[in-house]
Amino acid sequence: MVPLRPRPDPVSLDEDSHWEILHQCLTDTALPLDVRCSGAVLFLFGQEVTRIAALPTDAVTVRNQETVLPLDRVPIRLPAPLARLLSEFADQPQPPGWATNYPNRWLFPAAEPGRHITGSTLARRLID
């Protein structure tokens, strides 16, 4: 029988590091836009990466002059910096290529038409 190797305890961020990374996501234009958007949602709302990866393109909406993002069926009002960032990301044209003829319904699309990026792929993008 092969013994199980113990997994290390997850490493958590201290509060200052958490807010610094959130600020970087909102302001650092050197980071890719998808990383900035997914990181900001992750650090501001604590959403699981798999849930962020599966956000549809119409998730970012304007209601009563406020930009909202439904998380767990509850529309959450977004702070202005994140609202601008997500709106910019949602409004980007599809990249050129074979998938452009297929309607995209995902905020974080995969290379394969009709599918969203996987949570593990998005997590790797956030780590890199």
Side-chain angles (χ1 to χ4, degrees), residues 29-89:
T29 58
L31 291 173
L33 192 54
D34 66 324
V35 170
R36 293 176 64 200
C37 290
S38 56
V41 172
L42 174 74
F43 281 98
L44 189 59
F45 299 119
Q47 290 297 294
E48 294 176 9
V49 176
T50 53
R51 292 186 65 156
I52 296 169
L55 286 170
T57 53
D58 61 357
V60 180
T61 57
V62 177
R63 293 185 184 167
N64 302 324
Q65 300 177 339
E66 294 179 332
T67 305
V68 297
L69 180 67
L71 299 174
D72 197 25
R73 295 187 221 134
V74 177
I76 297 181
R77 186 175 46 134
L78 299 175
L82 181 55
R84 283 190 297 273
L85 191 66
L86 284 173
S87 294
E88 177 185 344
F89 184 58

Side-chain angles (χ1 to χ4, degrees), residues 21-29 36 40 44 79 81-83 85:
I21 294 172
L22 175 59
H23 183 262
Q24 184 180 12
C25 289
L26 294 173
T27 61
D28 187 351
T29 58
R36 293 176 64 200
L44 189 59
L82 181 55
L85 191 66

